[in-house]
Amino acid sequence: MTTPSSGGIPRGGSPLTEEDAEDLLRCICFKTGPPRTVGAELEWLVHELRDPRLPVPPGRLAAAIDTVRALPLVAALTFEPGGQLELSSPPAASLMECLDSLAADLRAVREALAPLGLGLSGYGVDPWLAPRARVLHEPRYDAMERALGRNGPSGRAMMCESASVQVCLDAGLDDDGPLGYRRRWRLAHLLGAVLVAAFANSPVHGGRRTGWRSTRQALWTDLDPTRALAPPPDGEPRAEWAAHVLDTPVMCVRTPQGPWAVPEGLSFREWLRTGAPRRADADDLRYHLTTLFPPVRPRGHLELRMIDAQPGTDGWMVPIAVTTALFEDPAAAEAAYRAVLPLAPLAGDGPAPRNPLWRTAARDGLTDPLLHATALTVFEAALEALPRTGATPAVVGAVAAFHGRYVVPGGCPADELLEVAS
């Protein structure tokens, strides 16, 4: 869901103090009010229609990018470093407005790619091609590859070989009820593990089984010591997030010319205190926020980032519909919150996605008995709530079909991909 200036941090201006930065983060990362809008970001692997196991030559991929960029789309169109296509919806007033808008854009994209012999694949990571070459060579991605490469190959794989469905929802009310932002923040970090497990769709990477149902989530877990982590789970969200942002190392310091600096171990807080290599301003803070990749990222709204890309033409609709129903309908939100609370002891004190709950979800999916029981409850709550959110019978039917095909027997899309790969 596109937002101006990362939740309202002003661009440029005079150098920031540490106190200024903390105040800005507390004020703008959780914008409270009645939940009214929903958005989504869909990432896709671009593949050869005749054989998705074949790499797309750089020239054909460049031509495809130019073709798609010329389309009059409603969603914002971007491409990831490995050539993955991403559509980011504007905030929509309802679930169906969001789904219908994205579906129309996807039809246009597929129709434009088909004459070029190309299509879109919904997998959490590329099952066949790994490593994928980086096709975007921009200062941001050059710096990102250098910074993340210090911790091993997971950063490059995340950049070039992964795809997801991200759901964007309003932060919520400034109260302690089912739609309050504190409750929604807590719900997101417990329910998020259930979403990882139910929608896991990346058990094969580069032609080999990995031992994870969501290899994409495993990559995020290994990405960086702090950059992909949530803040401590039980504190006040605004304060914990502000501290987390300031204490996370800076990925890069942008420069007008030449490659961007990639300092090692320099937190944003230290940058503010020392003023080196130059003084940081509000635009630097805004940019720093875009280099943090926790499973739930507050950007004024909440950006839920833990769901693998889904198979099929319309499989992406199901996680958006389920997640929206469980957050936006008060009765479903209360049912979901009560259902996920027993997961808290398994999560422990560690932050997602490195705690035992999230690792179990990524590795075992719904074969874990506790995650399976929780998924049954929350999907039933979502199915009851979806008609109240205005979902069409077709969308309710798609969720019901997913529920029957995967959730009831304790499976996920990854299990079917494993059968094909065997």
Side-chain angles (χ1 to χ4, degrees), residues 106-156:
L106 275 170
R107 283 194 297 271
V109 169
R110 289 189 173 107
E111 289 171 2
L113 290 177
L116 303 177
L118 300 176
L120 302 177
S121 292
Y123 299 104
V125 296
D126 194 319
W128 306 287
L129 301 174
R132 274 190 175 218
R134 183 158 62 95
V135 299
L136 296 186
H137 296 278
E138 302 172 0
R140 172 182 172 87
Y141 297 127
D142 294 344
M144 183 181 293
E145 186 169 359
R146 286 175 60 197
L148 298 182
R150 292 169 178 153
N151 298 292
S154 293
R156 182 182 178 87

mmCIF file of all heavy atoms in Angstrom, residues 106-156:
data_model
loop_
_atom_site.group_PDB
_atom_site.id
_atom_site.type_symbol
_atom_site.label_atom_id
_atom_site.label_comp_id
_atom_site.label_asym_id
_atom_site.label_seq_id
_atom_site.Cartn_x
_atom_site.Cartn_y
_atom_site.Cartn_z
ATOM 1 N N LEU A 106 -3.573 -7.230 -12.665
ATOM 2 C CA LEU A 106 -2.888 -8.487 -12.970
ATOM 3 C C LEU A 106 -3.303 -9.038 -14.330
ATOM 4 O O LEU A 106 -2.467 -9.574 -15.073
ATOM 5 C CB LEU A 106 -3.166 -9.518 -11.882
ATOM 6 C CG LEU A 106 -2.256 -9.461 -10.661
ATOM 7 C CD1 LEU A 106 -2.790 -10.360 -9.560
ATOM 8 C CD2 LEU A 106 -0.832 -9.865 -11.027
ATOM 9 N N ARG A 107 -4.582 -8.914 -14.668
ATOM 10 C CA ARG A 107 -5.019 -9.364 -16.000
ATOM 11 C C ARG A 107 -4.283 -8.593 -17.088
ATOM 12 O O ARG A 107 -3.819 -9.163 -18.082
ATOM 13 C CB ARG A 107 -6.530 -9.181 -16.147
ATOM 14 C CG ARG A 107 -7.353 -10.237 -15.437
ATOM 15 C CD ARG A 107 -8.800 -10.215 -15.896
ATOM 16 N NE ARG A 107 -9.450 -8.947 -15.559
ATOM 17 C CZ ARG A 107 -10.076 -8.719 -14.411
ATOM 18 N NH1 ARG A 107 -10.125 -9.665 -13.473
ATOM 19 N NH2 ARG A 107 -10.660 -7.555 -14.191
ATOM 20 N N ALA A 108 -4.160 -7.277 -16.892
ATOM 21 C CA ALA A 108 -3.468 -6.460 -17.886
ATOM 22 C C ALA A 108 -1.997 -6.854 -18.001
ATOM 23 O O ALA A 108 -1.444 -6.926 -19.114
ATOM 24 C CB ALA A 108 -3.594 -4.981 -17.517
ATOM 25 N N VAL A 109 -1.353 -7.121 -16.868
ATOM 26 C CA VAL A 109 0.056 -7.506 -16.887
ATOM 27 C C VAL A 109 0.226 -8.852 -17.587
ATOM 28 O O VAL A 109 1.123 -9.023 -18.446
ATOM 29 C CB VAL A 109 0.616 -7.553 -15.455
ATOM 30 C CG1 VAL A 109 1.995 -8.211 -15.432
ATOM 31 C CG2 VAL A 109 0.697 -6.154 -14.861
ATOM 32 N N ARG A 110 -0.599 -9.810 -17.262
ATOM 33 C CA ARG A 110 -0.472 -11.138 -17.881
ATOM 34 C C ARG A 110 -0.725 -11.065 -19.381
ATOM 35 O O ARG A 110 -0.037 -11.738 -20.171
ATOM 36 C CB ARG A 110 -1.443 -12.109 -17.209
ATOM 37 C CG ARG A 110 -1.044 -12.496 -15.780
ATOM 38 C CD ARG A 110 -1.921 -13.629 -15.269
ATOM 39 N NE ARG A 110 -1.449 -14.124 -13.989
ATOM 40 C CZ ARG A 110 -2.063 -13.898 -12.819
ATOM 41 N NH1 ARG A 110 -3.172 -13.187 -12.775
ATOM 42 N NH2 ARG A 110 -1.569 -14.389 -11.696
ATOM 43 N N GLU A 111 -1.711 -10.266 -19.783
ATOM 44 C CA GLU A 111 -2.006 -10.139 -21.213
ATOM 45 C C GLU A 111 -0.842 -9.474 -21.950
ATOM 46 O O GLU A 111 -0.598 -9.783 -23.129
ATOM 47 C CB GLU A 111 -3.288 -9.337 -21.396
ATOM 48 C CG GLU A 111 -4.537 -10.109 -20.978
ATOM 49 C CD GLU A 111 -5.782 -9.238 -20.944
ATOM 50 O OE1 GLU A 111 -5.681 -8.027 -21.282
ATOM 51 O OE2 GLU A 111 -6.864 -9.753 -20.587
ATOM 52 N N ALA A 112 -0.137 -8.570 -21.283
ATOM 53 C CA ALA A 112 1.009 -7.921 -21.921
ATOM 54 C C ALA A 112 2.216 -8.849 -21.996
ATOM 55 O O ALA A 112 3.010 -8.777 -22.945
ATOM 56 C CB ALA A 112 1.367 -6.647 -21.154
ATOM 57 N N LEU A 113 2.388 -9.704 -21.001
ATOM 58 C CA LEU A 113 3.546 -10.600 -20.976
ATOM 59 C C LEU A 113 3.383 -11.812 -21.896
ATOM 60 O O LEU A 113 4.373 -12.319 -22.431
ATOM 61 C CB LEU A 113 3.797 -11.083 -19.546
ATOM 62 C CG LEU A 113 4.313 -10.057 -18.544
ATOM 63 C CD1 LEU A 113 4.430 -10.689 -17.157
ATOM 64 C CD2 LEU A 113 5.672 -9.500 -18.974
ATOM 65 N N ALA A 114 2.148 -12.286 -22.077
ATOM 66 C CA ALA A 114 1.931 -13.523 -22.823
ATOM 67 C C ALA A 114 2.490 -13.482 -24.243
ATOM 68 O O ALA A 114 3.142 -14.448 -24.680
ATOM 69 C CB ALA A 114 0.445 -13.866 -22.831
ATOM 70 N N PRO A 115 2.285 -12.405 -25.021
ATOM 71 C CA PRO A 115 2.874 -12.385 -26.372
ATOM 72 C C PRO A 115 4.403 -12.427 -26.372
ATOM 73 O O PRO A 115 5.014 -12.778 -27.385
ATOM 74 C CB PRO A 115 2.379 -11.049 -26.952
ATOM 75 C CG PRO A 115 1.157 -10.712 -26.166
ATOM 76 C CD PRO A 115 1.429 -11.229 -24.789
ATOM 77 N N LEU A 116 5.007 -12.077 -25.232
ATOM 78 C CA LEU A 116 6.465 -12.146 -25.099
ATOM 79 C C LEU A 116 6.923 -13.530 -24.635
ATOM 80 O O LEU A 116 8.121 -13.751 -24.437
ATOM 81 C CB LEU A 116 6.949 -11.093 -24.102
ATOM 82 C CG LEU A 116 6.571 -9.641 -24.412
ATOM 83 C CD1 LEU A 116 7.051 -8.725 -23.289
ATOM 84 C CD2 LEU A 116 7.148 -9.208 -25.751
ATOM 85 N N GLY A 117 5.965 -14.443 -24.460
ATOM 86 C CA GLY A 117 6.308 -15.788 -24.013
ATOM 87 C C GLY A 117 6.626 -15.873 -22.537
ATOM 88 O O GLY A 117 7.285 -16.820 -22.099
ATOM 89 N N LEU A 118 6.147 -14.889 -21.746
ATOM 90 C CA LEU A 118 6.469 -14.831 -20.326
ATOM 91 C C LEU A 118 5.193 -14.866 -19.486
ATOM 92 O O LEU A 118 4.107 -14.495 -19.940
ATOM 93 C CB LEU A 118 7.256 -13.558 -20.005
ATOM 94 C CG LEU A 118 8.599 -13.395 -20.729
ATOM 95 C CD1 LEU A 118 9.222 -12.047 -20.388
ATOM 96 C CD2 LEU A 118 9.555 -14.529 -20.369
ATOM 97 N N GLY A 119 5.340 -15.326 -18.240
ATOM 98 C CA GLY A 119 4.223 -15.384 -17.310
ATOM 99 C C GLY A 119 4.688 -15.078 -15.899
ATOM 100 O O GLY A 119 5.869 -14.789 -15.649
ATOM 101 N N LEU A 120 3.748 -15.165 -14.959
ATOM 102 C CA LEU A 120 4.013 -14.890 -13.554
ATOM 103 C C LEU A 120 3.827 -16.156 -12.741
ATOM 104 O O LEU A 120 2.839 -16.875 -12.925
ATOM 105 C CB LEU A 120 3.068 -13.802 -13.031
ATOM 106 C CG LEU A 120 3.102 -12.459 -13.757
ATOM 107 C CD1 LEU A 120 2.048 -11.512 -13.159
ATOM 108 C CD2 LEU A 120 4.483 -11.829 -13.683
ATOM 109 N N SER A 121 4.752 -16.426 -11.828
ATOM 110 C CA SER A 121 4.675 -17.598 -10.947
ATOM 111 C C SER A 121 4.534 -17.153 -9.501
ATOM 112 O O SER A 121 5.229 -16.231 -9.058
ATOM 113 C CB SER A 121 5.943 -18.454 -11.070
ATOM 114 O OG SER A 121 6.049 -19.059 -12.329
ATOM 115 N N GLY A 122 3.657 -17.831 -8.766
ATOM 116 C CA GLY A 122 3.470 -17.548 -7.349
ATOM 117 C C GLY A 122 4.146 -18.596 -6.482
ATOM 118 O O GLY A 122 3.538 -19.629 -6.158
ATOM 119 N N TYR A 123 5.395 -18.358 -6.117
ATOM 120 C CA TYR A 123 6.141 -19.198 -5.194
ATOM 121 C C TYR A 123 6.863 -18.290 -4.202
ATOM 122 O O TYR A 123 7.305 -17.189 -4.562
ATOM 123 C CB TYR A 123 7.185 -20.055 -5.919
ATOM 124 C CG TYR A 123 6.638 -21.013 -6.940
ATOM 125 C CD1 TYR A 123 6.753 -20.749 -8.293
ATOM 126 C CD2 TYR A 123 6.009 -22.185 -6.538
ATOM 127 C CE1 TYR A 123 6.253 -21.623 -9.244
ATOM 128 C CE2 TYR A 123 5.504 -23.073 -7.478
ATOM 129 C CZ TYR A 123 5.616 -22.790 -8.828
ATOM 130 O OH TYR A 123 5.123 -23.666 -9.765
ATOM 131 N N GLY A 124 7.039 -18.768 -2.965
ATOM 132 C CA GLY A 124 7.754 -17.972 -1.983
ATOM 133 C C GLY A 124 9.214 -17.773 -2.341
ATOM 134 O O GLY A 124 9.795 -16.719 -2.082
ATOM 135 N N VAL A 125 9.831 -18.797 -2.934
ATOM 136 C CA VAL A 125 11.172 -18.674 -3.520
ATOM 137 C C VAL A 125 11.162 -19.431 -4.837
ATOM 138 O O VAL A 125 10.302 -20.282 -5.082
ATOM 139 C CB VAL A 125 12.288 -19.229 -2.597
ATOM 140 C CG1 VAL A 125 12.395 -18.427 -1.310
ATOM 141 C CG2 VAL A 125 12.088 -20.714 -2.307
ATOM 142 N N ASP A 126 12.116 -19.118 -5.683
ATOM 143 C CA ASP A 126 12.196 -19.777 -6.983
ATOM 144 C C ASP A 126 12.533 -21.255 -6.773
ATOM 145 O O ASP A 126 13.600 -21.573 -6.237
ATOM 146 C CB ASP A 126 13.271 -19.097 -7.835
ATOM 147 C CG ASP A 126 13.176 -19.492 -9.303
ATOM 148 O OD1 ASP A 126 12.926 -20.683 -9.585
ATOM 149 O OD2 ASP A 126 13.351 -18.610 -10.151
ATOM 150 N N PRO A 127 11.642 -22.170 -7.183
ATOM 151 C CA PRO A 127 11.933 -23.590 -6.967
ATOM 152 C C PRO A 127 13.052 -24.124 -7.850
ATOM 153 O O PRO A 127 13.657 -25.142 -7.516
ATOM 154 C CB PRO A 127 10.601 -24.280 -7.330
ATOM 155 C CG PRO A 127 9.587 -23.196 -7.424
ATOM 156 C CD PRO A 127 10.324 -21.951 -7.771
ATOM 157 N N TRP A 128 13.304 -23.441 -8.992
ATOM 158 C CA TRP A 128 14.219 -24.011 -9.975
ATOM 159 C C TRP A 128 15.522 -23.235 -10.099
ATOM 160 O O TRP A 128 16.585 -23.838 -10.225
ATOM 161 C CB TRP A 128 13.534 -24.053 -11.349
ATOM 162 C CG TRP A 128 12.229 -24.761 -11.314
ATOM 163 C CD1 TRP A 128 12.030 -26.115 -11.198
ATOM 164 C CD2 TRP A 128 10.938 -24.170 -11.383
ATOM 165 N NE1 TRP A 128 10.677 -26.395 -11.194
ATOM 166 C CE2 TRP A 128 9.973 -25.219 -11.314
ATOM 167 C CE3 TRP A 128 10.469 -22.860 -11.509
ATOM 168 C CZ2 TRP A 128 8.616 -24.989 -11.352
ATOM 169 C CZ3 TRP A 128 9.113 -22.625 -11.549
ATOM 170 C CH2 TRP A 128 8.201 -23.685 -11.467
ATOM 171 N N LEU A 129 15.433 -21.915 -10.125
ATOM 172 C CA LEU A 129 16.595 -21.101 -10.480
ATOM 173 C C LEU A 129 17.155 -20.414 -9.245
ATOM 174 O O LEU A 129 16.568 -19.473 -8.714
ATOM 175 C CB LEU A 129 16.210 -20.049 -11.527
ATOM 176 C CG LEU A 129 15.641 -20.611 -12.829
ATOM 177 C CD1 LEU A 129 15.170 -19.483 -13.727
ATOM 178 C CD2 LEU A 129 16.679 -21.461 -13.550
ATOM 179 N N ALA A 130 18.276 -20.888 -8.775
ATOM 180 C CA ALA A 130 18.966 -20.259 -7.650
ATOM 181 C C ALA A 130 20.436 -20.662 -7.746
ATOM 182 O O ALA A 130 20.743 -21.850 -7.893
ATOM 183 C CB ALA A 130 18.373 -20.706 -6.320
ATOM 184 N N PRO A 131 21.355 -19.704 -7.737
ATOM 185 C CA PRO A 131 21.057 -18.282 -7.557
ATOM 186 C C PRO A 131 20.568 -17.629 -8.848
ATOM 187 O O PRO A 131 20.962 -18.020 -9.939
ATOM 188 C CB PRO A 131 22.404 -17.706 -7.131
ATOM 189 C CG PRO A 131 23.413 -18.598 -7.791
ATOM 190 C CD PRO A 131 22.811 -19.972 -7.774
ATOM 191 N N ARG A 132 19.702 -16.645 -8.680
ATOM 192 C CA ARG A 132 19.289 -15.783 -9.794
ATOM 193 C C ARG A 132 20.223 -14.588 -9.863
ATOM 194 O O ARG A 132 20.632 -14.055 -8.838
ATOM 195 C CB ARG A 132 17.863 -15.256 -9.579
ATOM 196 C CG ARG A 132 16.752 -16.164 -10.065
ATOM 197 C CD ARG A 132 15.428 -15.429 -10.027
ATOM 198 N NE ARG A 132 14.348 -16.209 -10.596
ATOM 199 C CZ ARG A 132 13.371 -15.692 -11.339
ATOM 200 N NH1 ARG A 132 13.348 -14.393 -11.582
ATOM 201 N NH2 ARG A 132 12.412 -16.445 -11.818
ATOM 202 N N ALA A 133 20.524 -14.159 -11.072
ATOM 203 C CA ALA A 133 21.374 -12.982 -11.237
ATOM 204 C C ALA A 133 20.585 -11.725 -10.887
ATOM 205 O O ALA A 133 19.384 -11.629 -11.152
ATOM 206 C CB ALA A 133 21.878 -12.900 -12.666
ATOM 207 N N ARG A 134 21.257 -10.778 -10.294
ATOM 208 C CA ARG A 134 20.623 -9.486 -10.022
ATOM 209 C C ARG A 134 20.574 -8.690 -11.319
ATOM 210 O O ARG A 134 21.589 -8.484 -11.974
ATOM 211 C CB ARG A 134 21.401 -8.732 -8.940
ATOM 212 C CG ARG A 134 20.768 -7.400 -8.553
ATOM 213 C CD ARG A 134 21.226 -6.951 -7.174
ATOM 214 N NE ARG A 134 22.656 -6.724 -7.085
ATOM 215 C CZ ARG A 134 23.235 -5.525 -7.243
ATOM 216 N NH1 ARG A 134 22.495 -4.467 -7.511
ATOM 217 N NH2 ARG A 134 24.534 -5.405 -7.120
ATOM 218 N N VAL A 135 19.378 -8.232 -11.686
ATOM 219 C CA VAL A 135 19.207 -7.520 -12.947
ATOM 220 C C VAL A 135 19.087 -6.008 -12.747
ATOM 221 O O VAL A 135 19.223 -5.251 -13.712
ATOM 222 C CB VAL A 135 17.976 -8.047 -13.721
ATOM 223 C CG1 VAL A 135 18.148 -9.519 -14.043
ATOM 224 C CG2 VAL A 135 16.680 -7.813 -12.949
ATOM 225 N N LEU A 136 18.797 -5.564 -11.530
ATOM 226 C CA LEU A 136 18.731 -4.136 -11.247
ATOM 227 C C LEU A 136 20.017 -3.711 -10.567
ATOM 228 O O LEU A 136 20.365 -4.226 -9.501
ATOM 229 C CB LEU A 136 17.536 -3.807 -10.352
ATOM 230 C CG LEU A 136 16.147 -4.069 -10.930
ATOM 231 C CD1 LEU A 136 15.078 -3.554 -9.969
ATOM 232 C CD2 LEU A 136 15.980 -3.423 -12.296
ATOM 233 N N HIS A 137 20.711 -2.795 -11.178
ATOM 234 C CA HIS A 137 21.984 -2.313 -10.632
ATOM 235 C C HIS A 137 21.824 -0.825 -10.326
ATOM 236 O O HIS A 137 22.068 0.039 -11.178
ATOM 237 C CB HIS A 137 23.123 -2.590 -11.611
ATOM 238 C CG HIS A 137 23.353 -4.047 -11.834
ATOM 239 N ND1 HIS A 137 24.100 -4.823 -10.965
ATOM 240 C CD2 HIS A 137 22.898 -4.892 -12.789
ATOM 241 C CE1 HIS A 137 24.121 -6.075 -11.395
ATOM 242 N NE2 HIS A 137 23.396 -6.145 -12.499
ATOM 243 N N GLU A 138 21.365 -0.572 -9.120
ATOM 244 C CA GLU A 138 21.143 0.775 -8.630
ATOM 245 C C GLU A 138 21.900 0.940 -7.320
ATOM 246 O O GLU A 138 22.208 -0.057 -6.645
ATOM 247 C CB GLU A 138 19.646 1.020 -8.412
ATOM 248 C CG GLU A 138 18.800 0.823 -9.668
ATOM 249 C CD GLU A 138 17.312 0.886 -9.371
ATOM 250 O OE1 GLU A 138 16.951 1.083 -8.179
ATOM 251 O OE2 GLU A 138 16.518 0.721 -10.314
ATOM 252 N N PRO A 139 22.210 2.180 -6.931
ATOM 253 C CA PRO A 139 22.969 2.358 -5.685
ATOM 254 C C PRO A 139 22.334 1.674 -4.480
ATOM 255 O O PRO A 139 23.052 1.104 -3.646
ATOM 256 C CB PRO A 139 23.011 3.882 -5.527
ATOM 257 C CG PRO A 139 22.920 4.404 -6.917
ATOM 258 C CD PRO A 139 22.016 3.448 -7.643
ATOM 259 N N ARG A 140 20.994 1.708 -4.376
ATOM 260 C CA ARG A 140 20.340 1.064 -3.233
ATOM 261 C C ARG A 140 20.641 -0.426 -3.209
ATOM 262 O O ARG A 140 20.995 -0.978 -2.163
ATOM 263 C CB ARG A 140 18.827 1.287 -3.291
ATOM 264 C CG ARG A 140 18.043 0.479 -2.236
ATOM 265 C CD ARG A 140 16.555 0.705 -2.372
ATOM 266 N NE ARG A 140 15.787 -0.187 -1.509
ATOM 267 C CZ ARG A 140 15.465 0.069 -0.238
ATOM 268 N NH1 ARG A 140 15.871 1.181 0.332
ATOM 269 N NH2 ARG A 140 14.737 -0.783 0.462
ATOM 270 N N TYR A 141 20.496 -1.090 -4.339
ATOM 271 C CA TYR A 141 20.659 -2.538 -4.348
ATOM 272 C C TYR A 141 22.123 -2.943 -4.298
ATOM 273 O O TYR A 141 22.457 -4.009 -3.760
ATOM 274 C CB TYR A 141 19.953 -3.130 -5.569
ATOM 275 C CG TYR A 141 18.462 -2.894 -5.532
ATOM 276 C CD1 TYR A 141 17.791 -2.308 -6.595
ATOM 277 C CD2 TYR A 141 17.726 -3.233 -4.393
ATOM 278 C CE1 TYR A 141 16.431 -2.081 -6.546
ATOM 279 C CE2 TYR A 141 16.366 -3.004 -4.328
ATOM 280 C CZ TYR A 141 15.718 -2.427 -5.400
ATOM 281 O OH TYR A 141 14.366 -2.186 -5.345
ATOM 282 N N ASP A 142 22.995 -2.116 -4.853
ATOM 283 C CA ASP A 142 24.423 -2.388 -4.687
ATOM 284 C C ASP A 142 24.799 -2.350 -3.210
ATOM 285 O O ASP A 142 25.514 -3.230 -2.702
ATOM 286 C CB ASP A 142 25.250 -1.352 -5.452
ATOM 287 C CG ASP A 142 25.074 -1.451 -6.957
ATOM 288 O OD1 ASP A 142 24.576 -2.482 -7.436
ATOM 289 O OD2 ASP A 142 25.429 -0.476 -7.658
ATOM 290 N N ALA A 143 24.302 -1.320 -2.508
ATOM 291 C CA ALA A 143 24.604 -1.197 -1.082
ATOM 292 C C ALA A 143 23.944 -2.312 -0.280
ATOM 293 O O ALA A 143 24.545 -2.872 0.648
ATOM 294 C CB ALA A 143 24.131 0.168 -0.573
ATOM 295 N N MET A 144 22.715 -2.667 -0.640
ATOM 296 C CA MET A 144 22.001 -3.722 0.083
ATOM 297 C C MET A 144 22.728 -5.050 -0.046
ATOM 298 O O MET A 144 22.891 -5.781 0.943
ATOM 299 C CB MET A 144 20.572 -3.846 -0.454
ATOM 300 C CG MET A 144 19.728 -4.868 0.277
ATOM 301 S SD MET A 144 18.035 -5.015 -0.391
ATOM 302 C CE MET A 144 17.372 -3.407 0.032
ATOM 303 N N GLU A 145 23.183 -5.367 -1.242
ATOM 304 C CA GLU A 145 23.877 -6.646 -1.422
ATOM 305 C C GLU A 145 25.170 -6.676 -0.615
ATOM 306 O O GLU A 145 25.521 -7.700 -0.022
ATOM 307 C CB GLU A 145 24.164 -6.889 -2.902
ATOM 308 C CG GLU A 145 24.749 -8.262 -3.168
ATOM 309 C CD GLU A 145 24.786 -8.624 -4.637
ATOM 310 O OE1 GLU A 145 24.343 -7.814 -5.466
ATOM 311 O OE2 GLU A 145 25.258 -9.733 -4.946
ATOM 312 N N ARG A 146 25.883 -5.567 -0.570
ATOM 313 C CA ARG A 146 27.115 -5.518 0.226
ATOM 314 C C ARG A 146 26.814 -5.674 1.712
ATOM 315 O O ARG A 146 27.481 -6.442 2.424
ATOM 316 C CB ARG A 146 27.833 -4.194 -0.016
ATOM 317 C CG ARG A 146 28.519 -4.075 -1.358
ATOM 318 C CD ARG A 146 29.104 -2.677 -1.540
ATOM 319 N NE ARG A 146 30.087 -2.376 -0.496
ATOM 320 C CZ ARG A 146 30.499 -1.140 -0.209
ATOM 321 N NH1 ARG A 146 29.982 -0.096 -0.866
ATOM 322 N NH2 ARG A 146 31.402 -0.944 0.722
ATOM 323 N N ALA A 147 25.796 -4.964 2.193
ATOM 324 C CA ALA A 147 25.484 -4.996 3.623
ATOM 325 C C ALA A 147 24.975 -6.365 4.052
ATOM 326 O O ALA A 147 25.437 -6.932 5.054
ATOM 327 C CB ALA A 147 24.465 -3.915 3.962
ATOM 328 N N LEU A 148 24.029 -6.915 3.315
ATOM 329 C CA LEU A 148 23.442 -8.197 3.703
ATOM 330 C C LEU A 148 24.387 -9.356 3.436
ATOM 331 O O LEU A 148 24.304 -10.398 4.089
ATOM 332 C CB LEU A 148 22.120 -8.408 2.964
ATOM 333 C CG LEU A 148 21.028 -7.381 3.243
ATOM 334 C CD1 LEU A 148 19.751 -7.734 2.482
ATOM 335 C CD2 LEU A 148 20.740 -7.261 4.733
ATOM 336 N N GLY A 149 25.305 -9.179 2.479
ATOM 337 C CA GLY A 149 26.246 -10.246 2.168
ATOM 338 C C GLY A 149 27.214 -10.543 3.297
ATOM 339 O O GLY A 149 27.836 -11.611 3.306
ATOM 340 N N ARG A 150 27.337 -9.629 4.252
ATOM 341 C CA ARG A 150 28.231 -9.890 5.391
ATOM 342 C C ARG A 150 27.744 -11.059 6.236
ATOM 343 O O ARG A 150 28.527 -11.643 6.995
ATOM 344 C CB ARG A 150 28.318 -8.642 6.266
ATOM 345 C CG ARG A 150 29.042 -7.478 5.605
ATOM 346 C CD ARG A 150 28.862 -6.206 6.400
ATOM 347 N NE ARG A 150 29.594 -5.095 5.811
ATOM 348 C CZ ARG A 150 29.257 -3.823 5.946
ATOM 349 N NH1 ARG A 150 28.178 -3.504 6.670
ATOM 350 N NH2 ARG A 150 29.968 -2.861 5.381
ATOM 351 N N ASN A 151 26.456 -11.399 6.129
ATOM 352 C CA ASN A 151 25.883 -12.455 6.967
ATOM 353 C C ASN A 151 25.597 -13.733 6.185
ATOM 354 O O ASN A 151 24.885 -14.601 6.676
ATOM 355 C CB ASN A 151 24.595 -11.944 7.620
ATOM 356 C CG ASN A 151 24.851 -10.764 8.531
ATOM 357 O OD1 ASN A 151 25.470 -10.898 9.571
ATOM 358 N ND2 ASN A 151 24.400 -9.588 8.116
ATOM 359 N N GLY A 152 26.126 -13.839 4.959
ATOM 360 C CA GLY A 152 25.932 -15.056 4.202
ATOM 361 C C GLY A 152 25.051 -14.845 2.985
ATOM 362 O O GLY A 152 24.717 -13.706 2.620
ATOM 363 N N PRO A 153 24.620 -15.937 2.331
ATOM 364 C CA PRO A 153 23.911 -15.846 1.054
ATOM 365 C C PRO A 153 22.424 -15.537 1.164
ATOM 366 O O PRO A 153 21.769 -15.309 0.146
ATOM 367 C CB PRO A 153 24.122 -17.237 0.449
ATOM 368 C CG PRO A 153 24.218 -18.141 1.642
ATOM 369 C CD PRO A 153 24.927 -17.330 2.702
ATOM 370 N N SER A 154 21.853 -15.537 2.361
ATOM 371 C CA SER A 154 20.395 -15.353 2.480
ATOM 372 C C SER A 154 19.936 -13.994 1.965
ATOM 373 O O SER A 154 18.844 -13.864 1.416
ATOM 374 C CB SER A 154 19.957 -15.534 3.928
ATOM 375 O OG SER A 154 20.127 -16.865 4.348
ATOM 376 N N GLY A 155 20.761 -12.958 2.169
ATOM 377 C CA GLY A 155 20.365 -11.632 1.721
ATOM 378 C C GLY A 155 20.204 -11.567 0.219
ATOM 379 O O GLY A 155 19.207 -11.037 -0.286
ATOM 380 N N ARG A 156 21.154 -12.105 -0.520
ATOM 381 C CA ARG A 156 21.057 -12.106 -1.984
ATOM 382 C C ARG A 156 19.868 -12.936 -2.448
ATOM 383 O O ARG A 156 19.152 -12.552 -3.379
ATOM 384 C CB ARG A 156 22.346 -12.629 -2.599
ATOM 385 C CG ARG A 156 22.337 -12.603 -4.122
ATOM 386 C CD ARG A 156 23.624 -13.169 -4.702
ATOM 387 N NE ARG A 156 23.566 -13.173 -6.145
ATOM 388 C CZ ARG A 156 23.909 -12.143 -6.924
ATOM 389 N NH1 ARG A 156 24.329 -11.027 -6.367
ATOM 390 N NH2 ARG A 156 23.826 -12.220 -8.227
#
